[in-house]
Amino acid sequence: MLRVALPIMAIGLATIPASLGAQKMYPPGIIDSAWWPDLIDDEPRLWQLGRLQGFKTRYRLAIAGINRLRALVRIDEKHDGSGIGRVALVRRSDPGRSLDLIADADRTFRVSAKDMALLRTRIAAANLWSIGPEEHWYVKDDICLDGEQLAFERLDADGYRFSEANAQCTAPPVLLVVAQTMIELSGERRALGLLQ
């Protein structure tokens, strides 16, 4: 489990057990749990009732795929329009042998009301909540073998929403702009490489 005191950045090569990440983080049947067995497992289950916890809206982006680096950005929008977020970058400690994760970063960050408005505008332009879950391995008649899977979530008074796409295969450019915006707001620009 990722248990790092926030806002302190994880130091060194601390090993973090990952246990059934996708099975805990996402609703049953919405994402193939075999696809992401090594996700951070101390995140709230946004799909369950009562998970707004005093926020107006909660957004989360998780990125995992062929790279060792995994990324998670969650932004919780306050009622005044500003936000507070969490960013975590982790990598497998021993690919192929262990699901334990090493924390490269785990910290909180703040988002201004102006930047939250920009994020909402970009989400609307992407029609984000009309995408997926869909088959992320196929593009027209081609099969996509590589790439990074992007899973977006939103929770607000209207309920839970989920969208996913593969950054290199099925994600439209406007969806990648949303992911890029969330990463840039977090300040962990290393995760931008997962979108290319």
Side-chain angles (χ1 to χ4, degrees):
M1 286 190 230
L2 194 53
R3 301 281 185 218
V4 178
L6 299 176
I8 299 171
M9 183 177 281
I11 299 173
L13 299 176
T15 302
I16 301 159
S19 59
L20 307 173
Q23 291 166 334
K24 285 185 164 190
M25 203 156 97
Y26 300 110
I30 203 164
I31 193 166
D32 179 2
S33 61
W35 173 229
W36 287 0
D38 55 351
L39 286 174
I40 299 162
D41 68 355
D42 68 342
E43 274 290 297
R45 296 176 186 173
L46 297 183
W47 54 276
Q48 291 181 328
L49 291 176
R51 296 299 176 143
L52 271 175
Q53 298 175 342
F55 296 105
K56 178 181 176 184
T57 307
R58 303 183 86 184
Y59 300 98
R60 182 165 50 207
L61 165 64
I63 306 172
I66 63 167
N67 289 301
R68 288 181 68 190
L69 186 69
R70 306 312 194 219
L72 182 136
V73 179
R74 187 186 73 242
I75 301 174
D76 300 326
E77 183 180 12
K78 299 177 183 180
H79 290 281
D80 68 2
S82 67
I84 186 166
R86 176 195 187 188
V87 59
L89 300 181
V90 297
R91 56 189 163 89
R92 297 267 297 268
S93 63
D94 187 6
R97 293 193 201 168
S98 172
L99 294 182
D100 287 348
L101 302 175
I102 296 172
D104 285 346
D106 188 3
R107 62 178 178 76
T108 60
F109 59 93
R110 298 199 179 282
V111 182
S112 70
K114 179 181 176 183
D115 286 337
M116 285 301 304
L118 174 66
L119 176 61
R120 285 191 307 274
T121 298
R122 290 182 174 171
I123 287 171
N127 291 313
L128 183 61
W129 310 116
S130 66
I131 301 170
E134 60 186 46
E135 179 54 65
H136 48 264
W137 298 111
Y138 296 100
V139 181
K140 297 183 183 172
D141 293 328
D142 297 327
I143 297 175
C144 178
L145 297 178
D146 294 328
E148 298 295 322
Q149 194 67 5
L150 309 175
F152 294 90
E153 296 172 277
R154 181 191 78 194
L155 177 65
D156 62 15
D158 293 330
Y160 176 81
R161 301 287 185 276
F162 177 89
S163 292
E164 71 172 325
N166 185 291
Q168 290 74 27
C169 300
T170 61
V174 291
L175 186 138
L176 294 176
V177 169
V178 174
Q180 178 181 342
T181 301
M182 291 182 74
I183 292 168
E184 288 175 345
L185 290 174
S186 80
E188 284 295 338
R189 298 182 64 83
R190 289 178 290 168
L192 291 173
L194 298 173
L195 303 180
Q196 300 173 353

